[in-house]
Amino acid sequence: MGAHGRGRTRDLRVAAGFLAPAVVAAVLLRLWPTVRAFWDSLHSTPLGVEAPFWVGLDQFAALFDDPGFRNSLEITALFGIIVNPLQIVVALALATLFNQRIRGAGLMRSLVFLPVAIPQSVSAVIWAVAFRPDGPLNGTLALFGLGGLAYTSSPTQALPSIMLVVSWIGVGYWMMFLIAGLKEIDPALYDAAALDGAGAWARFRYVTVPQLRRQLGFVLVADTVSNLLLFAPVQILTKGGPNGRTDVLMNDIFERAYTQADVGGAAAATVVLVVVALAIVIVQFRLLSRSEA
């Protein structure tokens, strides 16, 4: 083997050494749990302690016969349909605003992004205080002579309250991706549109949005997956209540695994969640690729 071959082998070993920790972490933290979830979904483990036995698809059939699981599917779908477009529209509006040369834009951008640096569990605790009957939100309403709201204890207000918390956390994160995309747009495009008589709205519609297609596509897919995996705010603020009105899929899986000791049912619900997420992402990618064609 020549010097070139030995050098190539040495480079491959160095590269493998750097990649090995990431590969091991991916296998242990991603691949193995996924394989185990599929295996558990096809086996029943009563109370989580008895020897597992094969049940095949019966566990999935029982899962979809469960009104509680069907409710969690409906709540998750409703949550995603409302909160995903809401977050993206608000993030795009803020990104467009803070990308302008206005006084204090940097400070306001930092304030909007600040919740991202706070763990979701801590954010949920902060909002739990704000949602208290004697908390600052109802105190502010009282200043204007308005009655207080029940927030997380109300069947009609609980899910919107969770949406508010999740959007407060997520909007700043997605906003930063869109600001990065706005920085890449050639200013000459706006100048050309202005010379053609295009107003602010026309420039936004025909220049900004088309030029942000890739970033918007990424934000759409990532935001969808992120909201499908929502757990901490729901568990801390409502635990899926009241009356199951905030029982999203991740909370349902947690309750099955750690409250009901139904390991097989939790694994089957996890498989359903993974399949739903993959299906939604595939559809989104196909729609985005068609729009780019």
Side-chain angles (χ1 to χ4, degrees):
M1 181 182 296
H4 178 71
R6 287 193 297 271
R8 184 180 182 86
T9 301
R10 184 172 60 253
D11 292 342
L12 289 175
R13 289 176 180 173
V14 172
F18 280 109
L19 289 174
V23 173
V24 171
V27 171
L28 293 179
L29 301 178
R30 298 290 185 179
L31 183 59
W32 168 245
T34 302
V35 173
R36 182 58 190 265
F38 275 94
W39 190 90
D40 286 341
S41 70
L42 301 175
H43 294 76
S44 179
T45 310
L47 300 179
V49 294
E50 298 183 21
F53 56 89
W54 174 265
V55 294
L57 298 178
D58 291 348
Q59 203 140 234
F60 289 93
L63 194 65
F64 282 98
D65 284 338
D66 184 353
F69 179 73
R70 294 199 302 270
N71 173 71
S72 70
L73 285 175
E74 294 173 1
I75 295 299
T76 302
L78 177 63
F79 182 87
I81 290 172
I82 296 175
V83 82
N84 289 349
L86 174 66
Q87 289 185 356
I88 294 173
V89 169
V90 174
L92 179 58
L94 291 175
T96 304
L97 174 64
F98 295 153
N99 192 52
Q100 305 296 320
R101 294 182 177 179
I102 58 177
R103 179 176 297 180
L107 175 61
M108 290 186 290
R109 187 165 56 210
S110 299
L111 292 176
V112 173
F113 184 75
L114 183 61
V116 179
I118 304 174
Q120 285 196 4
S121 56
V122 177
S123 297
V125 171
I126 294 172
W127 278 98
V129 174
F131 287 146
R132 289 175 53 179
D134 58 347
L137 292 181
N138 280 345
T140 303
L141 293 176
L143 293 176
F144 295 94
L146 301 175
L149 300 177
Y151 300 110
T152 55
S153 61
S154 167
T156 57
Q157 299 171 22
L159 191 60
S161 297
I162 296 294
M163 291 178 182
L164 174 62
V165 175
V166 173
S167 298
W168 181 76
I169 297 171
V171 163
Y173 186 67
W174 308 123
M175 177 193 72
M176 297 305 293
F177 285 99
L178 298 179
I179 287 178
L182 289 171
K183 298 294 186 184
E184 296 179 359
I185 300 177
D186 188 352
L189 296 175
Y190 291 107
D191 296 336
L195 288 174
D196 289 338
W201 171 249
R203 293 196 299 271
F204 174 80
R205 180 179 178 183
Y206 295 109
V207 178
T208 302
V209 173
Q211 293 296 315
L212 280 179
R213 185 177 288 115
R214 287 185 304 161
Q215 289 81 3
L216 284 170
F218 168 78
V219 168
L220 173 62
V221 173
D223 189 33
T224 299
V225 174
S226 175
N227 288 323
L228 278 173
L229 301 179
L230 173 68
F231 173 69
V234 171
Q235 179 60 209
I236 292 173
L237 291 172
T238 65
K239 299 187 183 301
N243 302 327
R245 295 305 300 165
T246 60
D247 190 21
V248 293
L249 270 174
M250 281 296 295
N251 189 73
D252 180 83
I253 292 170
F254 175 85
E255 292 294 331
R256 289 178 187 278
Y258 296 103
T259 301
Q260 304 171 20
D262 183 8
V263 177
T270 301
V271 171
V272 172
L273 175 60
V274 171
V275 171
V276 168
L278 286 175
I280 292 175
V281 169
I282 289 172
V283 170
Q284 289 177 338
F285 271 125
R286 288 190 174 183
L287 292 176
L288 290 171
S289 61
R290 287 181 183 178
S291 65
E292 292 178 359

